[in-house]
Amino acid sequence: MRDGRPRGRVIWAPVAAAALSGLVIGGLARLLMRGIALAVGGLTGMSLAGTVAILVAFVVLALPAAVTAAARPAIMHAGRWVTVALTGLVAARTGLGDAKIIVLADDDQLTPITMLIVAFAAIVVAHGRLAQHLTRRFRALPHAPAEALRTPDARPV
């Protein structure tokens, strides 16, 4: 690489950033989905399979933003908004799976539901931004020389 950083960092930084941002935002989304179910009086159980599927989906959806984090500004913004658009679509379809329940909700349920939907929108926008921020941070980590990684000799000098 021209900047002296190892080539592997170009690959692992976006992957690690997508994984971390996907786990964080996916976890928050899962909690918000349960909040909406609770607000409308639905089932509030969380299955392990459903949670894992949501987390994996959010990790994969973070990849466009993470991969374009170090690109020119136009490409970087496009990558971020691809992540936001795809995440928003998936979150809306999954989190608001039964829209009839929300439409038929009582007046006292509308405020918490509205707040949860706004929170969904906020984390969806944060998803792409977090993935790009983490990618840039991971790429900027200092390179550890091979000598620093070796175990020190236990013999006294």
Side-chain angles (χ1 to χ4, degrees):
M1 303 258 2
R2 280 184 254 154
D3 58 6
R5 279 182 247 143
R7 291 180 202 266
R9 191 168 302 184
V10 172
I11 296 170
W12 75 257
V15 171
L20 186 56
S21 67
L23 291 175
V24 169
I25 301 297
L28 288 173
R30 183 66 164 154
L31 291 175
L32 289 172
M33 289 175 201
R34 292 300 103 210
I36 289 174
L38 210 148
V40 297
L43 298 174
T44 57
M46 293 207 261
S47 71
L48 179 61
T51 301
V52 169
I54 289 168
L55 294 176
V56 168
F58 274 80
V59 168
V60 171
L61 291 170
L63 285 171
V67 169
T68 60
R72 293 186 194 132
I75 295 171
M76 180 184 71
H77 293 305
R80 182 183 314 151
W81 287 107
V82 165
T83 290
V84 169
L86 292 174
T87 302
L89 179 64
V90 169
R93 288 181 53 97
T94 306
L96 307 173
D98 196 357
K100 289 182 279 185
I101 292 174
I102 295 170
V103 172
L104 300 174
D106 294 331
D107 287 341
D108 61 330
Q109 295 173 320
L110 291 179
T111 300
I113 292 170
T114 302
M115 290 172 31
L116 290 165
I117 291 172
V118 169
F120 246 118
I123 68 165
V124 163
V125 171
H127 193 203
R129 192 148 187 83
L130 179 62
Q132 288 186 336
H133 173 76
L134 290 173
T135 300
R136 288 189 299 270
R137 297 288 276 192
F138 289 158
R139 288 188 72 188
L141 290 174
H143 175 63
E147 295 83 38
L149 297 176
R150 290 191 190 135
T151 308
D153 205 1
R155 290 179 282 153
V157 180

